[in-house]
Amino acid sequence: QKEVEQDPGPLSVPEGAIVSLNCTYSNSAFQYFMWYRQYSRKGPELLMYTYSSGNKEDGRFTAQVDKSSKYISLFIRDSQPSDSATYLCAMSGPEYGNKLVFGAGTILRVKS
Amino acid sequence: DVKVTQSSRYLVKRTGEKVFLECVQDMDHENMFWYRQDPGLGLRLIYFSYDVKMKEKGDIPEGYSVSREKKERFSLILESASTNQTSMYLCASTEGGRVETQYFGPGTRLLVL
């Protein structure tokens, strides 16, 4: 079993829709939760990170962590065609040092 | 703005060749990482370094080596390229202790024929 599971998609939505992207994990020691966005043929860029549980909002993006369920989500409001990309979740914790454990990524397509 | 650059965007090499991939960061970060990215497998850590001349194996180090002679530069070496090393290679860096903010380079697409 992978430590971090993420549905690869593709997820196709119309412009303006609310998008929900999710990851589940197995190691309860994870404390840092990150979301990266990767455009085609580019390197990943950090979108948001949260420490431990709770929500974090940044513009149209909201990251949510539910440690009791070992489940994290990224919500995108008013999705735009420019949001079309692969979204990667990543996690870490004390036993991992500075290393991250990545999900496989979800391909998102926002159609105009 | 943090900048991580990689020496090549695309490379085509032949089986058995020695391949060097270079990564440079301009933010004086202590930690540097090499990943490979394959469809359906996500990012897998090959090697990382937390200081000059220091290196640690990641999850898939076989067939690779690394060099960090200067703080800003981290090189990945494929000693004898094989077709199963065809992949996207990504370099990243972060400040010491700041696991949550890894900055990535644009990637190198390597094709081994």
Side-chain angles (χ1 to χ4, degrees):
Chain A
Q1 184 191 3
K2 289 183 183 177
E3 286 188 279
V4 179
E5 299 276 0
Q6 186 175 11
D7 187 331
L11 177 63
S12 188
V13 301
E15 184 176 355
I18 296 174
V19 175
S20 172
L21 302 165
N22 310 295
C23 289
T24 58
Y25 61 94
S26 55
N27 190 343
S28 56
F30 286 134
Q31 292 183 357
Y32 294 92
F33 303 92
M34 281 66 69
W35 286 97
Y36 284 83
R37 178 176 63 195
Q38 185 177 22
Y39 291 116
S40 182
R41 305 192 186 283
K42 305 273 187 181
E45 56 176 330
L46 180 67
L47 266 180
M48 301 177 71
Y49 69 87
T50 52
Y51 174 71
S52 195
S53 285
N55 292 3
K56 189 171 185 178
E57 191 173 316
D58 184 2
R60 296 184 296 111
F61 298 88
T62 299
Q64 204 169 71
V65 175
D66 182 349
K67 293 194 81 178
S68 61
S69 303
K70 298 196 184 98
Y71 190 89
I72 69 169
S73 301
L74 178 71
F75 297 97
I76 307 174
R77 290 184 298 281
D78 188 25
S79 56
Q80 302 295 312
S82 58
D83 294 327
S84 298
T86 297
Y87 289 81
L88 300 152
C89 64
M91 307 178 189
S92 190
E95 68 192 60
Y96 294 88
N98 287 307
K99 294 188 288 182
L100 298 180
V101 180
F102 283 87
T106 299
I107 298 170
L108 172 67
R109 295 179 183 144
V110 182
K111 298 188 174 181
S112 56
Chain B
D1 231 16
V2 177
K3 190 138 187 180
V4 180
T5 55
Q6 294 183 229
S7 51
S8 305
R9 294 300 306 276
Y10 301 95
L11 271 181
V12 180
K13 296 291 181 181
R14 298 228 172 256
T15 302
E17 279 194 77
K18 192 167 186 176
V19 182
F20 293 86
L21 303 181
E22 300 276 321
C23 175
V24 177
Q25 50 93 5
D26 66 357
M27 284 302 291
D28 202 36
H29 284 171
E30 287 79 11
N31 303 314
M32 297 187 75
F33 306 81
W34 275 107
Y35 297 88
R36 63 177 282 177
Q37 184 177 29
D38 301 288
L41 297 177
L43 274 73
R44 293 180 291 166
L45 183 64
I46 304 171
Y47 266 97
F48 66 101
S49 168
Y50 52 88
D51 203 351
V52 176
K53 298 193 186 292
M54 305 301 286
K55 59 185 179 184
E56 295 279 344
K57 291 180 181 178
D59 300 318
I60 51 164
E62 296 78 19
Y64 303 94
S65 62
V66 289
S67 172
R68 193 162 180 207
E69 296 297 317
K70 292 186 177 181
K71 191 174 185 180
E72 68 271 18
R73 190 179 298 270
F74 192 34
S75 302
L76 179 69
I77 303 147
L78 285 66
E79 297 290 343
S80 177
S82 63
T83 55
N84 63 12
Q85 292 178 310
T86 291
S87 188
M88 170 77 137
Y89 289 88
L90 290 159
C91 175
S93 73
T94 187
E95 290 179 64
R98 294 298 305 273
V99 63
E100 69 276 15
T101 50
Q102 283 196 15
Y103 294 92
F104 283 84
T108 296
R109 285 196 174 272
L110 173 66
L111 174 61
V112 182
L113 299 173

